[in-house]
């Protein structure tokens, strides 16, 4: 049996150069203990032999929060277009022991760090995964970053956004009211 290829093999794939790319995607967890803690992927840097991600675990809640036991940056995985899985070769010190900052998060506080992986062979599509969180699917072409979207770990639709309970809805309304009153006071609007 013989095969005749229309496109020579060397020209079939795209060559992806080194560079830094802004991602700005926020991933949510399906685990109730991590519901208010988002995984924010801000940047990706591709080098000759490695790829790294600047990330942050952010407390989006209105109260301080800490994890006694939980995942660490070493639990992240990167899958390439052929499904090959990569473990981090380097995890920044802020994420090495766990995703929470020392002493826990204050409201709106982010614990930032970097995850570094070996540069995958099939670089045109990558999926960054972290236990119980949505995944980040990244598509690259010869120009660099083509797209970055929140997906499931298998590349499908992400987890549905949980509905807010009555307490959270009331807190959001109260926060909006106080912010509106503060803005009116700052601008000298006595009627408001």
């Amino acid at each position: 049996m013989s095969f005749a290829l229309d496109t020579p093999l060397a020209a079939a794939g795209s060559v992806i150069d080194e560079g830094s790319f802004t991602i700005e995607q926020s991933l949510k967890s399906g685990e109730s203990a991590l519901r208010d803690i988002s995984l924010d992927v801000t940047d990706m840097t591709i080098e000759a032999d490695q790829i790294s991600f600047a990330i942050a675990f952010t407390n989006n809640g209105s109260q301080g929060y800490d994890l006694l036991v939980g995942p660490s940056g070493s639990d992240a995985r990167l899958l390439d277009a052929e499904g090959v899985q990569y473990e981090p070769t380097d995890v920044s010190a802020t994420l090495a022991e766990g995703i929470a900052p020392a002493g826990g998060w204050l409201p709106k506080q982010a614990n930032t760090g970097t995850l570094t992986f070996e540069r995958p062979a099939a670089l045109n599509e990558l999926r960054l995964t972290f236990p119980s969180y949505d995944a980040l699917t990244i598509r690259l072409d010869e120009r660099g970053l083509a797209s970055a979207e929140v997906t499931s770990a298998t590349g499908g639709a992400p987890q549905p956004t949980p509905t807010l309970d009555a307490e959270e809805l009331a807190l959001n309304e109260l926060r909006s009211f106080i912010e509106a009153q503060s803005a009116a006071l700052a601008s000298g609007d006595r009627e408001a």
Side-chain angles (χ1 to χ4, degrees):
M1 181 183 283
S2 62
F3 292 95
L5 302 176
D6 291 340
T7 306
L9 189 58
S14 60
V15 177
I16 297 166
D17 292 328
E18 298 177 29
S20 293
F21 307 96
T22 301
I23 301 284
E24 298 297 336
Q25 291 287 341
S26 186
L27 313 175
K28 64 182 177 303
S29 175
E31 202 171 304
S32 62
L34 296 171
R35 188 177 70 170
D36 289 336
I37 308 301
S38 64
L39 166 51
D40 305 317
V41 183
T42 57
D43 297 290
M44 174 181 70
T45 303
I46 299 174
E47 298 179 38
D49 61 344
Q50 65 184 22
I51 184 168
S52 60
F53 295 89
I55 67 168
F57 286 92
T58 305
N59 178 7
N60 298 299
S62 58
Q63 299 179 15
Y65 190 72
D66 198 4
L67 290 172
L68 299 176
V69 187
S72 71
S74 299
D75 295 323
R77 296 294 179 264
L78 185 65
L79 293 105
D80 70 9
E82 296 175 355
V84 177
Q85 182 174 267
Y86 297 84
E87 294 182 3
T89 55
D90 187 46
V91 176
S92 60
T94 55
L95 302 172
E97 298 298 319
I99 62 172
W105 289 276
L106 295 174
K108 310 303 178 201
Q109 181 182 3
N111 186 30
T112 60
T114 304
L115 301 174
T116 304
F117 299 87
E118 174 186 335
R119 182 177 167 141
L123 200 58
N124 55 324
E125 183 173 303
L126 302 172
R127 188 164 297 119
L128 180 65
T129 65
F130 195 83
S132 84
Y133 279 84
D134 290 327
L136 178 64
T137 298
I138 300 164
R139 291 179 184 83
L140 300 156
D141 59 23
E142 61 279 352
R143 294 179 308 276
L145 180 65
S147 68
E149 63 181 324
V150 179
T151 65
S152 70
T154 59
Q159 303 171 55
T161 303
T163 56
L164 299 176
D165 61 20
E167 181 181 322
E168 291 170 317
L169 288 170
L171 182 61
N172 286 343
E173 288 178 20
L174 183 58
R175 184 177 292 122
S176 295
F177 173 75
I178 291 172
E179 288 171 356
Q181 291 299 303
S182 177
L185 182 62
S187 68
D189 184 356
R190 291 182 184 262
E191 287 183 32

